[in-house]
Amino acid sequence: SQFQESVFLQFLGLDKVPSPQTVQPVPSILKKIFQDREAAATTGDSHGLCYIKDLGIQGNILRLLLDQGRFLYPKKPSQASSCLQKLLYFNLSSITDKEELTMAQLGLDLGPTTYYKLGPELELALSLVEEPHVGDWPVPLPGKMLVLQSVPWPQGVVHFNLLRVAKGWRNNPWKNLGLLLEILVKGNRDVGVNFQLQDTCARLRRSLRASLLVVTLHPEQCHPSSRKRR
Amino acid sequence: EAVPAPQAFCRNLCHRHQLFINFRDLGWHKWIIAPKGFMANYCHGECPFSLTTSLNSSNYAFMQALMRAVDPEVPQAACIPTKLSPISMLYQDNDDNVILRHYEDMVVDECGCG
């Protein structure tokens, strides 16, 4: 029966029975799409499974990829105002060659009250890592800057479109060296604020969660006739 | 004039039966987040030649039944799903990623002889 199970798992697109280490929270967008599909199934309306109305894009497989990166602790921060640095890494290998990437959205959960009552504003910088990490150098060299934006408080999840970047990683997997996330403090700081900031940066380090919502379209499961007419 | 078929005979004819797939029974509840299970159903029953036309049969089943009348070695038409529908599944993979995708032909909606 184990053999038969593995055959069926292959049909589901899995190599073996998954054994997740921790139960991940399901993002509300995935919950809603799932519930809408269940409701459509009960009414016998199974059309439109290859168009995701909530996101306004074509696609039939949604994956929430978890960040497999790590926090960086440079001996000399790149800037005096650096609050934290993290290497973000997303493994796209589960996406098969036949699938067409239609969306890649980075979600950074900064925690709901991270910046509550925080004096200075923070700035978020996201850059592509383009050079392989060599030797004892603790921090990879940042490449092309993708995002540089202020982050006002209070915060929740901020999203960034990484479709072009993810397409590049899929075409050249060896180029997927991750992303360098840096959170900086804007403006001058006095001693009191500096103390508060250390606390904030430590809390931010604990609460920061990164994920990549990837949507793909499998052409064999989505025939042109079943696609939504524009 | 139609002759009513015996009750026991009707019960044996090809039709859809209820089958609930409970992922817990398969041990899959550890990685499938939702649904917990689904009504998959199955087809079972006889496809006698005399009732081929009334049992949602395909043209092929009709021809097979005709051939069987000529050559008894030709097997009787089988009771099979004639209409299937997909379900969506939300699960976690080995990297703890959360995945939502739909799978075709998971639920038997209608049965017939084919």
Side-chain angles (χ1 to χ4, degrees):
Chain A
S1 71
Q2 279 185 347
F3 170 74
Q4 288 174 347
E5 186 182 39
S6 71
V7 171
F8 188 73
L9 289 170
Q10 279 175 19
F11 159 70
L12 294 180
L14 296 162
D15 298 330
K16 56 180 178 177
V17 176
S19 50
Q21 301 299 308
T22 51
V23 177
Q24 294 299 329
V26 180
S28 55
I29 183 75
L30 288 191
K31 269 187 204 165
K32 184 177 185 306
I33 294 166
F34 176 78
Q35 285 162 356
D36 288 350
R37 285 180 174 185
E38 271 204 322
T42 54
T43 58
D45 177 22
S46 59
H47 297 289
L49 289 172
C50 297
Y51 180 79
I52 301 162
K53 201 170 64 177
D54 295 270
L55 301 173
I57 52 160
Q58 298 282 352
N60 66 323
I61 306 172
L62 295 93
R63 292 180 176 87
L64 188 81
L65 305 179
L66 297 190
D67 169 36
Q68 297 178 10
R70 60 192 166 85
F71 281 103
L72 302 168
Y73 301 93
K75 286 171 189 164
K76 285 184 181 175
S78 58
Q79 295 173 56
S81 56
S82 183
C83 184
L84 71 80
Q85 281 186 311
K86 191 176 190 209
L87 178 71
L88 306 178
Y89 180 78
F90 300 99
N91 185 353
L92 305 182
S93 63
S94 63
I95 303 170
T96 60
D97 293 340
K98 287 181 180 171
E99 294 172 50
E100 180 195 336
L101 203 61
T102 57
M103 186 179 134
Q105 187 187 63
L106 174 70
L108 293 176
D109 188 351
L110 303 170
T113 56
T114 304
Y115 304 131
Y116 188 60
K117 289 180 182 173
L118 183 72
E121 208 171 290
L122 297 187
E123 198 167 50
L124 190 149
L126 187 71
S127 48
L128 205 58
V129 177
E130 292 170 316
E131 295 291 328
H133 190 194
V134 289
D136 295 333
W137 196 249
V139 179
L141 291 172
K144 184 185 169 190
M145 178 77 78
L146 300 172
V147 175
L148 181 64
Q149 74 168 56
S150 293
V151 185
W153 59 270
Q155 268 303 334
V157 184
V158 283
H159 295 110
F160 304 103
N161 180 2
L162 289 187
L163 182 60
R164 244 173 59 178
V165 173
K167 279 185 174 175
W169 286 342
R170 278 203 74 207
N171 294 336
N172 303 295
W174 50 273
K175 278 194 174 175
N176 183 3
L177 301 171
L179 302 159
L180 186 64
L181 171 71
E182 190 166 22
I183 293 180
L184 308 154
V185 182
K186 282 178 84 176
N188 295 324
R189 294 172 289 164
D190 57 35
V191 178
V193 175
N194 193 33
F195 181 75
Q196 192 184 25
L197 265 176
Q198 282 180 4
D199 183 44
T200 302
C201 292
R203 274 192 291 141
L204 188 57
R205 204 180 284 274
R206 285 195 297 272
S207 60
L208 181 69
R209 297 280 181 277
S211 59
L212 189 69
L213 179 61
V214 173
V215 181
T216 60
L217 184 75
H218 197 301
E220 285 175 8
Q221 295 162 5
C222 292
H223 304 293
S225 58
S226 66
R227 289 196 193 178
K228 193 180 173 75
R229 196 181 288 264
R230 286 191 183 181
Chain B
E1 190 179 343
V3 178
Q7 195 68 19
F9 182 68
C10 276
R11 272 209 302 271
N12 295 336
L13 290 179
C14 173
H15 71 278
R16 190 181 71 167
H17 298 254
Q18 284 196 339
L19 170 67
F20 185 77
I21 305 274
N22 189 341
F23 289 133
R24 184 170 282 275
D25 293 342
L26 299 169
W28 290 8
H29 62 291
K30 292 169 188 165
W31 55 278
I32 295 179
I33 302 165
K36 301 294 177 202
F38 67 102
M39 190 62 81
N41 304 322
Y42 68 96
C43 299
H44 185 69
E46 291 171 13
C47 289
F49 174 61
S50 56
L51 289 169
T52 308
T53 50
S54 61
L55 285 176
N56 197 18
S57 303
S58 62
N59 288 337
Y60 174 76
F62 186 76
M63 294 308 294
Q64 186 174 338
L66 274 178
M67 279 305 294
R68 183 176 158 80
V70 179
D71 179 2
E73 289 212 348
V74 174
Q76 203 170 49
C79 181
I80 54 165
T82 52
K83 191 180 170 207
L84 295 151
S85 57
I87 63 159
S88 289
M89 277 164 56
L90 195 57
Y91 62 90
Q92 273 185 245
D93 69 6
N94 262 321
D95 294 323
D96 285 354
N97 300 318
V98 179
I99 298 166
L100 170 61
R101 60 189 291 180
H102 76 268
Y103 294 97
E104 297 288 344
D105 304 340
M106 294 287 276
V107 175
V108 175
D109 292 327
E110 291 172 12
C111 299
C113 296

